[in-house]
Every structure is written in C-alpha cells, then in structure tokens.
Short mmCIF file of all heavy atoms in Angstrom, two decimals:
data_model
loop_
_atom_site.label_atom_id
_atom_site.label_comp_id
_atom_site.label_asym_id
_atom_site.label_seq_id
_atom_site.Cartn_x
_atom_site.Cartn_y
_atom_site.Cartn_z
N PHE I 98 -25.88 110.85 -209.99
CA PHE I 98 -26.23 111.18 -208.58
C PHE I 98 -27.61 111.78 -208.55
O PHE I 98 -27.80 112.76 -209.22
CB PHE I 98 -25.29 112.09 -208.00
CG PHE I 98 -23.77 111.76 -208.22
CD1 PHE I 98 -22.84 112.64 -208.70
CD2 PHE I 98 -23.35 110.59 -207.81
CE1 PHE I 98 -21.52 112.29 -209.02
CE2 PHE I 98 -21.97 110.18 -208.03
CZ PHE I 98 -21.14 111.08 -208.54
N TYR I 99 -28.54 111.05 -207.78
CA TYR I 99 -29.91 111.60 -207.71
C TYR I 99 -29.95 112.24 -206.24
O TYR I 99 -29.42 111.57 -205.31
CB TYR I 99 -30.85 110.45 -207.70
CG TYR I 99 -30.97 109.75 -209.15
CD1 TYR I 99 -29.87 108.88 -209.57
CD2 TYR I 99 -31.96 109.98 -209.95
CE1 TYR I 99 -29.91 108.27 -210.82
CE2 TYR I 99 -32.11 109.41 -211.24
CZ TYR I 99 -30.97 108.50 -211.65
OH TYR I 99 -31.08 107.93 -212.86
N GLY I 100 -30.69 113.36 -206.25
CA GLY I 100 -30.77 113.91 -204.86
C GLY I 100 -31.86 114.95 -204.81
O GLY I 100 -32.57 115.28 -205.72
N ARG I 101 -32.01 115.47 -203.59
CA ARG I 101 -33.02 116.52 -203.29
C ARG I 101 -32.37 117.83 -202.88
O ARG I 101 -31.44 117.81 -202.13
CB ARG I 101 -34.01 116.05 -202.24
CG ARG I 101 -34.92 114.96 -202.40
CD ARG I 101 -35.86 114.72 -201.28
NE ARG I 101 -35.11 114.25 -200.06
CZ ARG I 101 -35.02 112.99 -199.71
NH1 ARG I 101 -35.47 112.09 -200.49
NH2 ARG I 101 -34.36 112.70 -198.66
N SER I 102 -32.78 118.94 -203.54
CA SER I 102 -32.24 120.18 -203.15
C SER I 102 -32.94 120.89 -202.00
O SER I 102 -32.47 121.71 -201.41
CB SER I 102 -32.12 121.14 -204.41
OG SER I 102 -33.41 121.56 -204.67
N GLY I 103 -34.29 120.53 -201.93
CA GLY I 103 -35.04 121.13 -200.91
C GLY I 103 -35.53 122.57 -201.28
O GLY I 103 -36.09 123.34 -200.38
N VAL I 104 -35.19 122.97 -202.41
CA VAL I 104 -35.49 124.41 -202.88
C VAL I 104 -36.79 124.35 -203.72
O VAL I 104 -36.94 123.49 -204.53
CB VAL I 104 -34.42 124.98 -203.78
CG1 VAL I 104 -34.78 126.36 -204.25
CG2 VAL I 104 -33.06 125.07 -202.92
N GLU I 105 -37.66 125.21 -203.39
CA GLU I 105 -38.98 125.29 -204.14
C GLU I 105 -38.75 125.50 -205.63
O GLU I 105 -37.84 126.27 -206.06
CB GLU I 105 -39.82 126.45 -203.62
CG GLU I 105 -41.18 126.52 -204.19
CD GLU I 105 -41.99 127.68 -203.58
OE1 GLU I 105 -41.61 128.34 -202.66
OE2 GLU I 105 -43.11 127.90 -204.17
N GLY I 106 -39.47 124.76 -206.48
CA GLY I 106 -39.29 124.83 -207.87
C GLY I 106 -38.38 123.85 -208.45
O GLY I 106 -38.25 123.71 -209.75
N THR I 107 -37.64 123.05 -207.59
CA THR I 107 -36.77 122.02 -208.17
C THR I 107 -37.45 120.59 -208.09
O THR I 107 -38.37 120.51 -207.26
CB THR I 107 -35.50 121.94 -207.39
OG1 THR I 107 -35.78 121.73 -205.92
CG2 THR I 107 -34.68 123.23 -207.35
N PRO I 108 -37.10 119.71 -208.91
CA PRO I 108 -37.67 118.36 -209.00
C PRO I 108 -37.40 117.61 -207.72
O PRO I 108 -36.42 117.94 -206.99
CB PRO I 108 -37.13 117.76 -210.20
CG PRO I 108 -35.84 118.48 -210.56
CD PRO I 108 -35.99 119.90 -210.02
N ASP I 109 -38.15 116.60 -207.45
CA ASP I 109 -37.98 115.74 -206.28
C ASP I 109 -36.66 114.93 -206.42
O ASP I 109 -35.96 114.69 -205.53
CB ASP I 109 -39.11 114.74 -206.09
CG ASP I 109 -40.38 115.37 -205.67
OD1 ASP I 109 -40.34 116.57 -205.11
OD2 ASP I 109 -41.45 114.81 -205.99
N ASN I 110 -36.31 114.67 -207.73
CA ASN I 110 -35.01 114.02 -207.99
C ASN I 110 -34.22 114.88 -208.91
O ASN I 110 -34.60 114.95 -210.09
CB ASN I 110 -35.27 112.62 -208.68
CG ASN I 110 -35.19 111.49 -207.66
OD1 ASN I 110 -34.32 111.57 -206.72
ND2 ASN I 110 -35.81 110.42 -207.99
N LEU I 111 -33.28 115.60 -208.42
CA LEU I 111 -32.27 116.17 -209.22
C LEU I 111 -31.25 115.21 -209.70
O LEU I 111 -30.78 114.42 -208.94
CB LEU I 111 -31.66 117.34 -208.41
CG LEU I 111 -30.79 118.28 -209.20
CD1 LEU I 111 -31.72 119.31 -209.94
CD2 LEU I 111 -29.83 119.12 -208.26
N ILE I 112 -30.98 115.23 -211.02
CA ILE I 112 -30.03 114.30 -211.53
C ILE I 112 -28.84 114.87 -212.06
O ILE I 112 -28.93 115.73 -212.95
CB ILE I 112 -30.68 113.39 -212.71
CG1 ILE I 112 -32.18 112.91 -212.20
CG2 ILE I 112 -29.93 112.22 -213.08
CD1 ILE I 112 -32.95 112.30 -213.32
N VAL I 113 -27.65 114.46 -211.62
CA VAL I 113 -26.36 115.02 -212.10
C VAL I 113 -25.42 113.89 -212.50
O VAL I 113 -25.28 112.86 -211.75
CB VAL I 113 -25.74 115.84 -210.90
CG1 VAL I 113 -24.42 116.34 -211.33
CG2 VAL I 113 -26.65 116.98 -210.46
N ARG I 114 -24.82 113.99 -213.69
CA ARG I 114 -23.81 113.00 -214.04
C ARG I 114 -22.50 113.41 -213.65
O ARG I 114 -22.10 114.59 -213.81
CB ARG I 114 -23.85 112.80 -215.55
CG ARG I 114 -23.00 111.59 -215.97
CD ARG I 114 -22.99 111.45 -217.54
NE ARG I 114 -22.18 112.35 -218.21
CZ ARG I 114 -22.07 112.30 -219.50
NH1 ARG I 114 -22.64 111.56 -220.25
NH2 ARG I 114 -21.17 113.26 -220.07
N GLY I 115 -21.74 112.46 -213.03
CA GLY I 115 -20.38 112.69 -212.53
C GLY I 115 -19.51 111.67 -212.99
O GLY I 115 -19.85 110.70 -213.76
N GLY I 116 -18.17 111.79 -212.79
CA GLY I 116 -17.20 110.76 -213.29
C GLY I 116 -17.42 109.49 -212.49
O GLY I 116 -17.82 109.45 -211.29
N GLY I 117 -17.11 108.36 -213.20
CA GLY I 117 -17.19 107.10 -212.50
C GLY I 117 -16.17 106.93 -211.33
O GLY I 117 -15.17 107.58 -211.42
N ARG I 118 -16.60 106.03 -210.39
CA ARG I 118 -15.66 105.77 -209.24
C ARG I 118 -15.38 107.03 -208.44
O ARG I 118 -14.39 107.06 -207.67
CB ARG I 118 -14.41 105.13 -209.66
CG ARG I 118 -14.59 103.78 -210.42
CD ARG I 118 -13.38 103.19 -210.97
NE ARG I 118 -13.54 101.78 -211.46
CZ ARG I 118 -14.03 101.70 -212.67
NH1 ARG I 118 -14.35 102.66 -213.49
NH2 ARG I 118 -14.22 100.46 -213.06
N ARG I 119 -16.19 108.01 -208.52
CA ARG I 119 -16.07 109.18 -207.68
C ARG I 119 -16.57 108.81 -206.32
O ARG I 119 -17.62 108.25 -206.19
CB ARG I 119 -16.82 110.39 -208.21
CG ARG I 119 -16.62 111.72 -207.55
CD ARG I 119 -17.55 112.78 -208.08
NE ARG I 119 -17.31 114.06 -207.38
CZ ARG I 119 -16.81 115.07 -207.89
NH1 ARG I 119 -16.34 115.11 -209.15
NH2 ARG I 119 -16.64 116.17 -207.22
N SER I 120 -15.90 109.29 -205.22
CA SER I 120 -16.29 108.86 -203.87
C SER I 120 -17.33 109.68 -203.42
O SER I 120 -17.21 110.82 -202.77
CB SER I 120 -14.98 109.08 -202.98
OG SER I 120 -15.33 108.60 -201.73
N VAL I 121 -18.67 109.19 -203.70
CA VAL I 121 -19.88 110.01 -203.26
C VAL I 121 -20.73 108.98 -202.50
O VAL I 121 -21.05 107.83 -203.03
CB VAL I 121 -20.64 110.58 -204.46
CG1 VAL I 121 -21.87 111.18 -203.99
CG2 VAL I 121 -19.74 111.62 -205.15
N GLN I 122 -21.20 109.37 -201.34
CA GLN I 122 -22.02 108.55 -200.60
C GLN I 122 -23.47 109.06 -200.46
O GLN I 122 -23.66 110.19 -200.56
CB GLN I 122 -21.45 108.36 -199.17
CG GLN I 122 -20.07 107.90 -199.15
CD GLN I 122 -19.83 106.49 -199.72
OE1 GLN I 122 -20.71 105.65 -199.58
NE2 GLN I 122 -18.80 106.22 -200.46
N LYS I 123 -24.46 108.21 -200.21
CA LYS I 123 -25.72 108.54 -199.91
C LYS I 123 -25.76 109.45 -198.71
O LYS I 123 -25.09 109.09 -197.73
CB LYS I 123 -26.72 107.39 -199.84
CG LYS I 123 -27.00 106.70 -201.15
CD LYS I 123 -28.01 105.54 -200.98
CE LYS I 123 -27.50 104.37 -200.17
NZ LYS I 123 -28.50 103.31 -200.19
N GLY I 124 -26.58 110.43 -198.76
CA GLY I 124 -26.55 111.42 -197.62
C GLY I 124 -25.61 112.52 -197.69
O GLY I 124 -25.75 113.55 -196.98
N GLN I 125 -24.71 112.43 -198.61
CA GLN I 125 -23.72 113.54 -198.81
C GLN I 125 -24.29 114.68 -199.47
O GLN I 125 -25.19 114.47 -200.40
CB GLN I 125 -22.50 112.97 -199.63
CG GLN I 125 -21.30 113.96 -199.74
CD GLN I 125 -20.22 113.31 -200.44
OE1 GLN I 125 -20.11 112.06 -200.56
NE2 GLN I 125 -19.23 114.05 -200.93
N THR I 126 -23.95 115.93 -199.18
CA THR I 126 -24.36 117.11 -199.94
C THR I 126 -23.32 117.67 -200.91
O THR I 126 -22.19 117.82 -200.58
CB THR I 126 -24.71 118.24 -198.92
OG1 THR I 126 -25.82 117.83 -198.07
CG2 THR I 126 -25.18 119.49 -199.67
N LEU I 127 -23.81 117.65 -202.19
CA LEU I 127 -22.92 118.21 -203.33
C LEU I 127 -23.57 119.52 -203.80
O LEU I 127 -24.66 119.83 -203.46
CB LEU I 127 -22.91 117.12 -204.44
CG LEU I 127 -22.42 115.73 -204.04
CD1 LEU I 127 -22.54 114.87 -205.35
CD2 LEU I 127 -20.95 115.80 -203.57
N ARG I 128 -22.71 120.22 -204.54
CA ARG I 128 -23.17 121.38 -205.21
C ARG I 128 -22.99 121.24 -206.74
O ARG I 128 -21.93 120.81 -207.14
CB ARG I 128 -22.53 122.66 -204.72
CG ARG I 128 -22.98 123.06 -203.22
CD ARG I 128 -22.43 124.38 -202.83
NE ARG I 128 -22.99 124.88 -201.60
CZ ARG I 128 -24.03 125.77 -201.65
NH1 ARG I 128 -24.47 126.29 -202.72
NH2 ARG I 128 -24.49 126.18 -200.48
N ALA I 129 -23.93 121.65 -207.48
CA ALA I 129 -23.94 121.49 -208.92
C ALA I 129 -23.99 122.82 -209.63
O ALA I 129 -24.81 123.67 -209.28
CB ALA I 129 -25.02 120.65 -209.42
N VAL I 130 -23.18 123.02 -210.64
CA VAL I 130 -23.12 124.23 -211.45
C VAL I 130 -23.42 123.93 -212.87
O VAL I 130 -22.94 123.03 -213.38
CB VAL I 130 -21.75 124.92 -211.43
CG1 VAL I 130 -21.71 126.19 -212.30
CG2 VAL I 130 -21.35 125.40 -209.91
#
C-alpha cells in the first residue's frame, strides 16, 4: 500500500506491506504501527 500521510517529515510515498487480498481501496485512510 502506497500512500501520503500529509505529515511534515514523511516521504511522498509511504510504503506499507499488508496481507494479500486485503480489502483496501485507493483513497482509503489506514493507520500503520
């Protein structure tokens, strides 16, 4: 999952690996720990 956090100091593309076939859509907001 590639995305933008909008937080200063974070990359334009934050990259997170998740499980395959997870129901995630473009435009959805996720939280990563």
